[in-house]
Amino acid sequence: MNKESTFRKQVRRIYHLLMVLFGLFVVTGGSLIYYVNNPGAFDFKAKSEIASITPVEDEDRIENGIHVRTGLIDSEGLMVVVNNCTNCHSAKLVTQNRMTKEGWNTTIKWMQETQNLWDLGGNQEIIVNYLVTNYPPKAKGRRMTLTDIEWYELED
Ligand code: HEC
């Protein structure tokens, strides 16, 4: 083997080595740049967890001032009424009966004595206030029954 061919071999070897190094440099550099621009790209676990969260529908949704599930007006004390007065019968039965404060207290007492309605404690005032404020007795559509009538005797 002469001197020249040995030299050539060495040059080729160095050239090969440089190419390999350059290739490695390009691959790692490229990955790094990609990672910097997409930090979550290699975080496979986190991605699948985010995708599995689904929104839960709110069963106490209020739309246009109305509690959708029961149809009750959204006002102070709403949830106390929902939680105490819509378990046994629909809220319709409550709202179609327009009463005064005394009327409501009597109705509640009646349900407690005959329908197993529980003691409402301090909530009773909140409930009655809510009902009287939002569902007050309507103006009477018929005249009141006459009282104090002076009857006269028919004489022949
Ligand atoms: C433990 C069950 C129960 C609960 C809770 C309950 N009620 Fe009642 N309520 C009844 C029953 C039973 C009736 C009779 C239903 C019927 O006649 O069909 C009734 C009837 C009524 C009536 C109609 C009364 C009438 O004279 O016709 C109104 C108004 C009423 N409830 C309002 C309320 C309000 C306000 C609340 C919340 C404080 C409430 N209810 C909670 C059981 C209950």
Side-chain angles (χ1 to χ4, degrees):
M1 225 182 256
N2 58 29
K3 249 186 169 176
E4 200 183 333
S5 87
T6 318
F7 179 68
R8 267 215 185 125
K9 251 187 189 159
Q10 282 175 337
V11 168
R12 208 173 284 154
R13 215 179 266 165
I14 288 169
Y15 176 72
H16 258 134
L17 198 71
L18 280 174
M19 283 309 281
V20 168
L21 276 175
F22 181 69
L24 273 174
F25 176 75
V26 167
V27 169
T28 44
S31 306
L32 249 162
I33 290 168
Y34 182 73
Y35 181 70
V36 166
N37 288 310
N38 306 276
F42 302 110
D43 209 350
F44 303 112
K45 211 176 160 196
K47 225 176 207 170
S48 64
E49 266 167 21
I50 289 169
S52 69
I53 297 170
T54 47
V56 180
E57 196 166 337
D58 181 12
E59 65 164 8
D60 286 322
R61 217 160 71 250
I62 308 281
E63 273 173 26
N64 303 322
I66 298 291
H67 183 249
V68 175
R69 180 160 57 90
T70 59
L72 291 170
I73 294 170
D74 178 28
S75 166
E76 196 184 335
L78 166 71
M79 286 320 293
V80 182
V81 175
V82 169
N83 292 331
N84 286 287
C85 305
T86 60
N87 319 60
C88 303
H89 45 67
S90 95
K92 263 236 168 69
L93 188 65
V94 179
T95 54
Q96 73 191 10
N97 282 273
R98 291 163 171 268
M99 303 182 207
T100 59
K101 206 171 198 144
E102 293 71 41
W104 282 114
N105 281 320
T106 310
T107 304
I108 288 172
K109 193 151 178 267
W110 169 78
M111 276 183 288
Q112 284 169 333
E113 282 168 357
T114 62
Q115 312 294 345
N116 284 328
L117 174 60
W118 45 85
D119 181 22
L120 296 166
N123 282 340
Q124 180 153 343
E125 204 184 333
I126 298 173
I127 292 168
V128 170
N129 278 341
Y130 170 90
L131 293 169
V132 171
T133 308
N134 297 290
Y135 301 97
K138 281 195 177 122
K140 292 193 171 62
R142 280 175 56 176
R143 68 161 170 76
M144 297 280 282
T145 319
L146 294 176
T147 51
D148 291 333
I149 303 169
E150 276 182 45
W151 298 101
Y152 55 90
E153 306 237 331
L154 285 174
E155 278 159 37
D156 299 321

